[in-house]
Amino acid sequence: MYPLSSSTLTLAEPKTEYGSKNYQWVEVLVDCPYAEGLYTYAIGDEMEVKAGDILSVPFGNSVVGAIALKLVSKPPETLEIDQIKTVEDVITSGFFPPRYWELLTKVSEYYLTDLIYVIKCALPPKLLGKSQKRVRLLFDNIPQGAENFCPPMAWRVLQLLQNSKNGDYTFSYINQKVKGARRGINDLVKRDWVQTYLQPPAKAKPKYLKVVTFISENSATTITQKQRDVLAILKTNGGELSQPDLMQKCELNSNSVINSLAKKGCVVIQERESLRLLQNSAPKKDLPKVLTEEQQCAFEKISGLQGFNISLLHGVTGSGKTEVYLRAIAPILAEKKSALVLVPEIGLTPQLTDRFRARFGQQVCVYHSGLSDGERYDTWRQMLTGEPQVVIGTRSAIFAPLPNLGMIILDEEHDTSFKQSQPAPPYHAKTVAQWRAELVNCPLILGSATPSLESWQLATQGQNSPESEQKKYYLSLPNRVYNRPLPPVQIVDMRHELRKGNRSIFSHALGNALGNLKEEGKQAILFISRRGHSTFVSCRSCGYVMECPHCDVSLSYHYPKEGATQLLRCHYCNHTQIHPKNCPECGSPYLKFFGTGTQKVLLELQKAFPELKILRFDSDTTSTKNAHRRILEDFEAGKADVLIGTQMLTKGIDLAQVTLVGVVSADGLLFHSDYRASERAFQTLTQVAGRAGRGDDPGQVIIQTYSPEHPVIGAVQTHNYSAFIATELEQREALDYPPYGSLILLKCTGADGNKVREAVEAIADVCEQILPDDVEILGPAPANVMRVARRYRWQILLKSLEPFSHELKQQLLTLKQYCPSMVSFNIDVDPIRIE
Ligand code: ADP
Ligand code: ZN
Ligand code: ZN
């Protein structure tokens, strides 16, 4: 088990049957920090190992999890055969679909991240860690009178193990019993008195569920009214329900009625394996709609495409993109293949998932980080069965192990949450989706009302290549269904309001519209880009601003409702403190709040319109499981008149009763130093405006701003995507920014500001020497907020008109050596936020 350099990393050929019969050795990746590269192990005679198996292997003095990458018939020449240790056990087999390794390797190479971290990002959490770490006594090695020359901590661990039944406990149990046991265990391991090892997980226990199926009413001669009721309910539910569901629906306290029905032959009760899949309410069955002419056109184009290709489905908000996805997926399922649908955020999934379930029923499954570990594990296994299915998930679902993938769809493809910035790999799900679609030779559909500049560029350029080579298509839905108009957008100049003496956060126009809401029986959405009450607090006497002790930012004031505790909270590190009564600097009691957040809008709205019922939808109110779904369902059921929220509101919410959309302040979106700020602001405002007037009643949008002359505001008002994108592309081209050029961001962080700065300067010097002239080096410069959670952050931006070559990227990896151990070094390939 000696490391080879990671450059020798080669993978098993895809689809090759690699039984271990002819191969005595296996190259593995071990799950151990700092153990980079491949290690070679011997395969025991009795053992069957395949590439992709999860193993436990001896490593140093312990046993760790590992993944088999490649079987080899000869160990590397640098190794003596008798030095090679043997694989201890195969923990799980058959966990990866074909070509999956190629995808992971590509991610690893492109994003300059060790394969093991890519694997960890792709696998359900704790799969490698699911094996339990245990410690066992090596009885024969312990000398007489060990206590006399054993340090106290080690002695306590030793005693604990000696008093146990077989000298064997889990690591975490020992840690619980003996505070600081880790040091003691390490000491005992060094002496060779104990050994740590990994216990394979208990075979994932399937959960069983009793299912009651209707057989016949007539087979029984006598049947009670109660029993008749139960049968009736069973029949109206498709003739089959789980026993708990049936009992609940019939309000039964025991299963005796069901059991007697079974005895009479009216129903059968069967045990069935139930995977812990997130299957909420079964929505009503939904049939395909008659497509509009434009939808039909897009659908026909998509269904005529063969093999790998990319289509951008550019449809204005409410144009019925989802219906096109649904229709495109149906034939894929009929061919016994699966489809993968990626969406930006959990907040969006409940409604979308319901629409998919209503169409495809149980064939839909959901995969995202909001699931429990057990649910994720089960969903993963369910996907591997190869049954045709639709998987809906967020970013990491691009790694869903579907063996027969027939189509990938990215909905709201412009959304920045498809890019992971930390931890590594810093992948973009859209980029990975392209690779995956190409590898498995299936179509990729990117859908959006406000396509990213990259996708627009890609799809519209593709139009110019000859038909035979063309793999990129631009499909457009320029109108809403039923030719509903896009809502008119009114821009309100807040400077004007102030001059007229209106100091409220609601302009005259927005106030009026909100005032009419109740009477008209309509609903409104109010968008505000920040959560909390106020973005900063400052002393009126001396000007002191409350700042986070750990970050270079001001603290936000949190005051969710009248009478709540007043708090100050850091939105970077979550540091929280009680809001002081007096200025910590001068003692003055006159503290003033600046900048408006969701809580303040809610309080002001309550004050101005006490008759309106309000719900708040931001990350503070949606942190618990299913909170997104609950709030949206309550709002849809008319339990509130106004929904106030942040960015989350922009993501695909489709509510017919919403006629009014108000943007309380657009200014928070308009002014960022980032090169993508305008694109993001345009997308956010257009998306939020698109929530209005999706039903039969026409919508209305009011945007309040202090900068009505900003080009983004003009473009949003006129719904003029193409004009906006044309100017934006010109600016990007002039400066070689994406989609024209490529970017790599080098980041140094550490607790010692001087050390970080020295390191980043040294790295910049080396960059000057090693990088070709056509790579522009911007910086080093401190990040926008230089210190976050007590760590200083500096960065260097590399910009190149040509894509960065593999060799050049490999060179960047070597820059790490210029960082002392106290400074961490990160590389973000294709960064999308440079702040
Ligand atoms: P988008 O995703 O483009 O914003 P949706 O797919 O949410 O739009 O469609 C908007 C609304 O129009 C939805 O309520 C949907 O059910 C409805 N819809 C879509 N296509 C049709 C159609 N062909 N006929 C009738 N209603 C449709
Ligand atoms: Zn003061
Ligand atoms: Zn902080």
Side-chain angles (χ1 to χ4, degrees):
M1 34 138 283
Y2 290 82
L4 308 176
S5 92
S6 52
S7 58
T8 62
L9 199 143
T10 40
L11 293 176
E13 285 298 306
K15 291 187 184 160
T16 317
E17 271 310 310
Y18 266 45
S20 53
K21 293 276 146 25
N22 302 320
Y23 302 95
Q24 287 162 288
W25 288 276
V26 59
E27 292 177 357
V28 309
L29 273 175
V30 294
D31 179 24
C32 187
Y34 314 115
E36 289 164 9
L38 290 178
Y39 292 79
T40 304
Y41 285 88
I43 300 171
D45 292 340
E46 309 281 86
M47 208 173 271
E48 178 81 20
V49 175
K50 290 195 294 297
D53 285 356
I54 295 179
L55 313 173
S56 62
V57 297
F59 191 76
N61 281 323
S62 46
V63 176
V64 300
I67 294 188
L69 284 197
K70 190 185 182 188
L71 295 156
V72 287
S73 52
K74 266 206 311 254
E77 280 163 14
T78 48
L79 289 185
E80 297 283 340
I81 297 239
D82 52 6
Q83 286 180 315
I84 302 178
K85 294 191 185 174
T86 305
V87 172
E88 182 155 303
D89 202 1
V90 179
I91 294 177
T92 328
S93 198
F95 233 70
F96 304 99
R99 309 218 79 164
Y100 196 75
W101 286 110
E102 277 169 274
L103 183 70
L104 299 191
T105 325
K106 185 131 193 176
V107 173
S108 157
E109 281 176 3
Y110 185 85
Y111 289 108
L112 301 172
T113 303
D114 276 331
L115 190 54
I116 190 76
Y117 295 110
V118 179
I119 291 170
K120 281 188 168 179
C121 156
L123 288 185
K126 303 206 198 118
L127 185 82
L128 281 176
K130 241 181 166 49
S131 325
Q132 229 178 9
K133 192 166 170 186
R134 297 184 70 97
V135 182
R136 67 178 161 226
L137 276 184
L138 299 173
F139 288 101
D140 298 340
N141 295 359
I142 301 168
Q144 284 285 317
E147 67 271 27
N148 299 325
F149 48 98
C150 190
M153 198 57 75
W155 173 236
R156 287 178 58 197
V157 174
L158 195 62
Q159 264 187 317
L160 186 74
L161 283 166
Q162 282 175 333
N163 290 335
S164 75
K165 211 163 66 200
N166 36 18
D168 188 327
Y169 275 132
T170 67
F171 201 83
S172 57
Y173 177 78
I174 300 176
N175 254 323
Q176 254 173 34
K177 288 283 165 193
V178 181
K179 248 202 154 68
R182 190 173 292 271
R183 204 150 40 91
I185 294 171
N186 284 343
D187 191 83
L188 294 172
V189 168
K190 271 198 211 112
R191 288 165 197 269
D192 221 9
W193 294 356
V194 304
Q195 190 184 41
T196 65
Y197 69 104
L198 266 195
Q199 188 186 44
K203 285 270 167 314
K205 274 198 210 98
K207 234 172 79 177
Y208 286 97
L209 193 68
K210 281 193 173 145
V211 177
V212 185
T213 313
F214 175 78
I215 300 292
S216 132
E217 241 159 344
N218 310 329
S219 53
T221 41
T222 53
I223 189 164
T224 66
Q225 185 56 43
K226 186 85 211 165
Q227 289 169 341
R228 205 179 299 281
D229 293 346
V230 171
L231 289 180
I233 288 177
L234 197 55
K235 277 199 292 186
T236 54
N237 281 282
E240 189 166 277
L241 276 175
S242 74
Q243 185 163 306
D245 280 353
L246 182 61
M247 286 170 63
Q248 196 202 351
K249 285 203 160 69
C250 304
E251 294 173 10
L252 301 174
N253 298 322
S254 81
N255 48 18
S256 59
V257 181
I258 300 174
N259 285 342
S260 45
L261 278 172
K263 275 200 202 107
K264 290 179 181 169
C266 300
V267 302
V268 289
I269 308 173
Q270 293 163 291
E271 288 240 320
R272 277 202 209 148
E273 182 174 345
S274 111
L275 288 165
R276 285 155 287 187
L277 310 174
L278 201 69
Q279 309 258 326
N280 280 348
S281 47
K284 281 195 234 65
K285 190 81 192 147
D286 167 53
L287 295 172
K289 296 187 170 57
V290 179
L291 296 181
T292 64
E293 222 167 282
E294 288 166 354
Q295 284 173 322
Q296 183 67 29
C297 200
F299 165 63
E300 276 171 14
K301 187 85 197 177
I302 291 170
S303 41
L305 297 172
Q306 294 293 324
F308 168 66
N309 55 74
I310 304 175
S311 308
L312 172 63
L313 179 62
H314 179 190
V316 297
T317 55
S319 58
K321 290 183 288 296
T322 314
E323 187 62 32
V324 175
Y325 304 151
L326 290 165
R327 290 289 280 270
I329 288 173
I332 302 284
L333 292 173
E335 283 173 44
K336 302 269 175 252
K337 290 184 175 174
S338 293
L340 185 52
V341 181
L342 299 189
V343 295
E345 256 172 58
I346 303 311
L348 205 158
T349 44
Q351 259 202 331
L352 190 90
T353 320
D354 288 350
R355 278 168 78 178
F356 275 77
R357 287 238 168 89
R359 189 67 57 87
F360 302 120
Q362 299 295 322
Q363 279 178 297
V364 177
C365 85
V366 183
Y367 188 69
H368 57 69
S369 56
L371 303 181
S372 72
D373 290 355
E375 285 166 342
R376 275 223 256 181
Y377 187 82
D378 286 356
T379 309
W380 182 275
R381 289 177 38 133
Q382 149 76 23
M383 292 189 266
L384 278 168
T385 60
E387 287 286 304
Q389 54 194 297
V390 184
V391 173
I392 304 177
T394 46
R395 182 173 66 218
S396 67
I398 190 55
F399 296 112
L402 291 165
N404 298 312
L405 196 52
M407 178 174 284
I408 305 177
I409 295 172
L410 251 86
D411 189 26
E412 311 287 351
E413 66 82 27
H414 62 277
D415 200 281
T416 51
S417 66
F418 285 123
K419 162 84 176 175
Q420 170 155 310
S421 53
Q422 261 177 349
Y427 70 101
H428 199 305
K430 187 161 50 186
T431 311
V432 181
Q434 282 186 31
W435 297 334
R436 191 160 185 191
E438 206 167 352
L439 276 174
V440 303
N441 198 31
C442 78
L444 167 65
I445 299 175
L446 307 173
S448 175
T450 51
S452 63
L453 269 62
E454 279 84 357
S455 300
W456 167 267
Q457 180 82 344
L458 185 88
T460 48
Q461 268 183 349
Q463 300 297 94
N464 303 330
S465 46
E467 185 73 26
S468 55
E469 290 163 30
Q470 192 178 328
K471 297 249 180 235
K472 320 223 158 80
Y473 303 91
Y474 175 78
L475 312 172
S476 148
L477 304 175
N479 298 297
R480 285 188 160 183
V481 290
Y482 300 126
N483 276 321
R484 286 173 185 143
L486 283 168
V489 179
Q490 179 183 353
I491 308 295
V492 178
D493 184 343
M494 290 304 273
R495 294 169 304 190
H496 218 72
E497 293 286 316
L498 209 59
R499 263 181 257 134
K500 284 191 298 188
N502 177 8
R503 307 186 74 82
S504 136
I505 57 174
F506 304 115
S507 61
H508 212 73
L510 186 54
N512 268 344
L514 287 166
N516 293 336
L517 213 53
K518 200 85 196 176
E519 200 173 307
E520 292 171 357
K522 303 286 165 47
Q523 287 182 307
I525 283 182
L526 284 188
F527 171 82
I528 177 86
S529 59
R530 302 187 189 98
R531 65 199 169 92
H533 178 283
S534 300
T535 44
F536 69 101
V537 183
S538 142
C539 170
R540 272 209 245 196
S541 310
C542 74
Y544 180 84
V545 174
M546 307 287 184
E547 286 193 346
C548 174
H550 315 302
C551 312
D552 292 339
V553 289
S554 53
L555 290 168
S556 295
Y557 173 67
H558 278 238
Y559 186 55
K561 54 172 184 261
E562 293 296 349
T565 314
Q566 305 180 43
L567 296 174
L568 296 177
R569 181 166 287 160
C570 172
H571 285 184
Y572 281 75
C573 74
N574 216 27
H575 163 87
T576 307
Q577 64 187 61
I578 301 273
H579 174 61
K581 287 211 165 55
N582 301 88
C583 169
E585 195 68 15
C586 74
S588 156
Y590 302 111
L591 298 173
K592 190 168 161 47
F593 305 110
F594 293 88
T596 303
T598 45
Q599 296 170 356
K600 180 164 171 192
V601 174
L602 186 133
L603 291 171
E604 299 272 311
L605 193 62
Q606 274 171 344
K607 236 181 279 166
F609 304 98
E611 73 281 6
L612 293 180
K613 286 209 213 62
I614 309 161
L615 283 169
R616 185 155 63 86
F617 191 61
D618 58 26
S619 57
D620 294 321
T621 60
T622 53
S623 53
T624 54
K625 197 172 177 177
N626 289 332
H628 288 104
R629 175 180 277 275
R630 219 174 32 244
I631 296 179
L632 289 180
E633 278 176 359
D634 283 354
F635 190 57
E636 187 170 13
K639 291 187 193 164
D641 309 295
V642 184
L643 185 67
I644 299 179
T646 51
Q647 258 73 356
M648 282 180 195
L649 285 178
T650 61
K651 314 208 169 180
I653 297 174
D654 178 36
L655 297 171
Q657 319 90 295
V658 175
T659 54
L660 173 64
V661 164
V663 175
V664 180
S665 165
D667 305 307
L669 297 170
L670 299 176
F671 303 99
H672 288 279
S673 54
D674 197 18
Y675 77 95
R676 279 179 195 261
S678 288
E679 182 186 352
R680 249 187 344 249
F682 175 79
Q683 286 160 347
T684 303
L685 290 172
T686 304
Q687 293 285 349
V688 75
R691 302 309 114 204
R694 296 169 73 94
D696 293 334
D697 298 311
Q700 173 190 15
V701 180
I702 299 172
I703 297 179
Q704 307 188 148
T705 174
Y706 285 93
S707 352
E709 64 289 339
H710 196 290
V712 165
I713 298 288
V716 174
Q717 181 174 28
T718 51
H719 301 288
N720 198 342
Y721 174 83
S722 46
F724 170 76
I725 212 154
T727 4
E728 192 65 20
L729 280 171
E730 249 170 53
Q731 291 176 9
R732 300 273 182 95
E733 186 165 22
L735 295 169
D736 292 349
Y737 274 115
Y740 300 94
S742 301
L743 300 175
I744 289 183
L745 188 65
L746 309 177
K747 297 189 278 192
C748 290
T749 56
D752 182 334
N754 291 329
K755 287 251 159 62
V756 176
R757 186 168 182 167
E758 280 164 24
V760 80
E761 278 168 359
I763 287 175
D765 287 344
V766 180
C767 283
E768 293 280 359
Q769 291 160 23
I770 64 171
L771 296 180
D773 290 343
D774 53 1
V775 176
E776 209 179 321
I777 303 170
L778 304 165
N784 258 1
V785 177
M786 183 165 73
R787 195 178 57 125
V788 170
R790 301 195 184 192
R791 292 174 70 79
Y792 292 83
R793 314 186 304 165
W794 283 74
Q795 54 202 26
I796 301 168
L797 184 63
L798 306 180
K799 190 161 78 174
S800 164
L801 193 51
E802 292 302 312
F804 290 93
S805 68
H806 180 69
E807 294 70 38
L808 202 148
K809 282 160 95 180
Q810 288 300 316
Q811 278 194 300
L812 296 178
L813 276 176
T814 65
L815 293 170
K816 196 178 165 67
Q817 60 182 303
Y818 301 99
C819 281
S821 62
M822 307 289 288
V823 177
S824 51
F825 177 64
N826 272 298
I827 305 176
D828 189 352
V829 180
D830 304 337
I832 56 167
R833 267 174 204 268
I834 300 154
E835 299 175 308

